[in-house]
Amino acid sequence: MTCIFGNELFFTSYFAVKKMTDCQGDGEGTMSPMELFEKLNAQGEKVRSLKSAKAEKAEIDAAVQLLLKLKVDYKQMTGQDYKAGCPPSENLIVSNNGPAADDCDGEDLVDPWNVSASSTKGVDYDKLIVRFGSSKIDKELLERIEKVSGQRAHHFLRRGIFFSHRDMHQILDAYEKHKSFYLYTGRGPSSEAMHVGHLIPFIFTKWLQDVFDIPLVIQMTDDEKYLWKDLTLEECHRFTVENAKDIIACGFDVNKTFIFSDLDYMGASPQFYRNVVKVQKHVTFNQVKGIFGFTDSDCIGKISFPAIQAAPSFSSSFPQIFGGKKDVPCLIPCAIDQDPYFRMTRDVAPRIGLLKPALLHSTFFPALQGAQTKMSASDPNSSIFLTDTPKQIKNKVNKHAFSGGKDTVEEHRKYGGNTEVDVSFLYLTFFLEDDEKLEKIKEDYTSGALLTGELKKILIETLQPMIAQHQERRKQVTDEMVQQFMTPRPLNFKF
Ligand code: TRP
């Protein structure tokens, strides 16, 4: 699938709005690079819309002059040329010009609502790191995580499933000095049905909670799903409770975990709402348009929602847990499509006197049909659901899992299969923990010794018990337990 957007920030110019708010303004000098970038986006649009509306020449000239002036300011501030669709990378004043500007023409679309890649191998994650301005989880960071935690790195880390980060070194520096941190992750409860891909961040977060022994907050954005989907508030809240059961079934420690519904907690926690309002005051409509692609006809609930996803990044949003402390660092494990929310959060944080959250980003869990897109709960054939029976798992894998094998057995034996695009193999990288076994499968499939049907069988036999065990654990999660996890209360941990 070819995709027209190279970057989530490109939405600004793609969904060009006819009438822009006035962006002539003062004091670029006090702006952050991101703000200046958004301002440039808006000014570019303004010039375009004046031209297409055949406005007075003088008016167009004035707008162009301002655009040029802003470009000069931008270059001075960042050392980079402004390029629409290429946001400034963080810390760019100290960074070199790098390949950032050149790499924005990729065809992968990645934002909180869409993921599609131009290649069958899936999204080019190295390019995404450059485009988003995050950092690669390299060998050095892996070794540090192992050293500080005293544990072998989780296979999601070893295999590059969590591949990118922001400020993870700072989290480890602090932890080494006995300064604790907390974890924040979330889930948009859009239906009762969760699929195996949804578990990835939770499985990993549980590991982090265990090895670092730290508190965790899980935001259920039922408000977000109400705003974005054709669902009632009651349905969204019910999905929160149902999804919370699947999350709890991952094994979180109730003494260290707080799960909350936005619909409940926003109204119940004055401190949380205060942080939401602070963020709202410091982000303009132009900025969220630039970051999320909102248009003038999006409802105002969507436009202000990013502040609600930002708020849990600040420890002061949870006085019952942190006793009003503002400076407990936050680490957010999430899929990389959520990064736009946290780029915004990190941009705002210093301006409201709060700490920037650190992040660990994962790749997407591919759809059965191939790595070009992620699993989607709305297409039953693209996903393995947590409620699937062993038979359904078998049928789905056999019928729908995209194969990197050859068309005939003879050809396959001769040329071998391609593990880079083979969905069954990709799923095994997520769920088969044994490195040696996985390596052997890779060798055998590549050489042609292992056939597609045999590979699928290995996957089926890995998924069936895993999902059956999940279902067993979920059955044990009672409404009272959900209630317990969702009650605001102190958590058990040492600072
Ligand atoms: N917006 C996310 C979703 O739709 C839910 C979410 C809220 C989240 N806060 C988060 C995900 C923090 C990861 C980290 O699924």
Side-chain angles (χ1 to χ4, degrees):
M1 176 178 180
T2 314
C3 211
I4 27 183
F5 309 114
N7 184 292
E8 79 297 341
L9 291 172
F10 190 56
F11 275 116
T12 325
S13 35
Y14 182 72
F15 293 106
V17 277
K18 286 181 200 64
K19 185 171 169 297
M20 291 299 304
T21 46
D22 187 11
C23 57
Q24 313 256 343
D26 42 284
E28 291 83 81
T30 57
M31 282 196 227
S32 69
M34 191 53 126
E35 284 176 300
L36 188 50
F37 175 79
E38 306 299 353
K39 194 162 179 175
L40 263 157
N41 283 344
Q43 189 62 15
E45 271 176 40
K46 179 165 181 172
V47 170
R48 273 191 295 281
S49 62
L50 284 173
K51 283 184 180 166
S52 65
K54 305 227 173 351
E56 293 281 320
K57 184 169 178 310
E59 201 186 347
I60 297 177
D61 284 349
V64 170
Q65 282 309 314
L66 179 61
L67 182 66
L68 294 175
K69 178 182 171 299
L70 290 172
K71 284 188 178 175
V72 172
D73 290 347
Y74 185 81
K75 174 103 190 188
Q76 265 177 1
M77 184 187 282
T78 66
Q80 295 175 351
D81 286 322
Y82 164 78
K83 191 168 171 196
C86 280
S89 39
E90 281 190 48
N91 309 325
L92 65 190
I93 300 172
V94 286
S95 75
N96 61 27
N97 287 358
D102 300 326
D103 264 347
C104 281
D105 305 326
E107 293 179 77
D108 299 339
L109 164 62
V110 175
D111 70 34
W113 306 282
N114 306 282
V115 174
S116 72
S118 53
S119 150
T120 43
K121 287 186 197 163
V123 173
D124 184 331
Y125 289 107
D126 284 334
K127 267 196 184 165
L128 217 54
I129 287 180
V130 175
R131 242 167 55 193
F132 283 11
S134 59
S135 309
K136 200 178 167 84
I137 298 183
D138 54 14
K139 203 163 153 272
E140 186 203 340
L141 180 56
L142 276 186
E143 284 169 4
R144 261 204 96 192
I145 292 175
E146 295 196 331
K147 188 170 150 257
V148 176
S149 69
Q151 302 276 334
R152 176 155 194 233
H154 191 274
H155 68 277
F156 288 173
L157 281 169
R158 303 198 305 268
R159 295 180 189 163
I161 289 168
F162 274 80
F163 71 105
S164 154
H165 77 102
R166 295 182 190 275
D167 287 351
M168 187 60 194
H169 281 290
Q170 263 122 292
I171 291 281
L172 296 173
D173 289 343
Y175 192 78
E176 276 183 325
K177 292 184 192 123
H178 307 288
K179 184 158 171 46
S180 200
F181 62 98
Y182 74 102
L183 297 163
Y184 157 39
T185 191
R187 152 109 190 118
S190 51
S191 77
E192 221 174 292
M194 283 176 70
H195 58 60
V196 285
H198 290 138
L199 289 188
I200 304 303
F202 294 106
I203 293 172
F204 185 62
T205 302
K206 150 100 174 104
W207 180 80
L208 289 169
Q209 178 178 61
D210 288 349
V211 303
F212 289 106
D213 189 23
I214 40 173
L216 159 67
V217 297
I218 301 177
Q219 178 179 44
M220 306 298 290
T221 52
D222 32 21
D223 50 351
E224 176 189 18
K225 294 302 152 186
Y226 171 71
L227 292 166
W228 260 268
K229 306 250 169 185
D230 187 18
L231 294 168
T232 65
L233 281 168
E234 289 66 34
E235 283 167 327
C236 294
H237 192 264
R238 189 168 64 79
F239 296 155
T240 281
V241 175
E242 289 310 310
N243 290 182
K245 291 183 184 163
D246 283 296
I247 294 170
I248 292 168
C250 292
F252 292 107
D253 180 347
V254 67
N255 296 312
K256 296 190 173 69
T257 308
F258 175 46
I259 304 178
F260 63 98
S261 138
D262 281 345
L263 292 174
D264 292 334
Y265 192 61
M266 273 278 281
S269 169
Q271 294 313 322
F272 188 94
Y273 187 55
R274 276 166 172 71
N275 280 339
V276 170
V277 173
K278 279 189 205 167
V279 175
Q280 285 173 341
K281 183 165 175 170
H282 291 81
V283 182
T284 66
F285 184 27
N286 270 337
Q287 286 176 311
V288 286
K289 272 200 280 202
I291 300 170
F292 300 98
F294 298 144
T295 71
D296 287 8
S297 44
D298 274 308
C299 71
I300 60 174
K302 286 188 185 178
I303 291 151
S304 58
F305 173 75
I308 301 172
Q309 184 153 333
S313 315
F314 308 124
S315 59
S316 52
S317 295
F318 305 99
Q320 73 282 9
I321 302 174
F322 302 106
K325 275 193 162 202
K326 277 174 37 174
D327 62 349
V328 184
C330 174
L331 173 64
I332 307 173
C334 63
I336 186 118
D337 61 341
Q338 297 298 305
D339 190 63
Y341 286 111
F342 302 116
R343 283 206 293 272
M344 184 199 83
T345 309
R346 289 168 53 89
D347 190 60
V348 175
R351 287 186 280 131
I352 57 177
L354 297 172
L355 292 178
K356 287 184 182 190
L359 287 122
L360 290 172
H361 298 121
S362 75
T363 61
F364 304 113
F365 193 78
L368 278 167
Q369 284 73 11
Q372 270 127 319
T373 185
K374 63 175 180 174
M375 245 188 197
S376 153
S378 47
D379 175 1
N381 286 331
S382 81
S383 310
I384 308 279
F385 289 99
L386 298 175
T387 46
D388 281 350
T389 62
K391 201 163 157 216
Q392 283 172 316
I393 296 170
K394 184 172 168 201
N395 285 340
K396 280 190 196 177
V397 171
N398 281 335
K399 271 202 202 131
H400 300 293
F402 183 80
S403 163
K406 296 288 181 293
D407 290 342
T408 64
V409 174
E410 292 71 42
E411 274 184 54
H412 189 88
R413 293 271 187 236
K414 194 161 164 201
Y415 302 109
N418 180 356
T419 51
E420 278 187 56
V421 298
D422 193 289
V423 167
S424 303
F425 184 79
L426 290 175
Y427 283 15
L428 285 173
T429 64
F430 282 84
F431 298 123
L432 187 69
E433 285 181 37
D434 187 327
D435 288 339
E436 273 172 40
K437 257 196 201 157
L438 190 71
E439 195 46 47
K440 176 93 174 75
I441 292 169
K442 187 174 181 175
E443 263 170 39
D444 290 351
Y445 197 61
T446 312
S447 74
L450 190 71
L451 298 173
T452 296
E454 294 164 337
L455 175 64
K456 287 192 171 189
K457 188 158 177 279
I458 300 175
L459 175 65
I460 292 164
E461 286 170 1
T462 307
L463 287 176
Q464 282 173 335
M466 188 188 105
I467 289 178
Q469 280 157 22
H470 178 86
Q471 290 166 357
E472 202 40 53
R473 286 194 305 267
R474 191 188 191 279
K475 250 195 251 158
Q476 328 252 315
V477 180
T478 60
D479 286 334
E480 291 70 46
M481 281 163 78
V482 176
Q483 195 56 43
Q484 240 185 319
F485 272 95
M486 297 189 71
T487 302
R489 72 217 120 93
L491 297 180
N492 184 6
F493 74 103
K494 300 179 285 297
F495 279 108

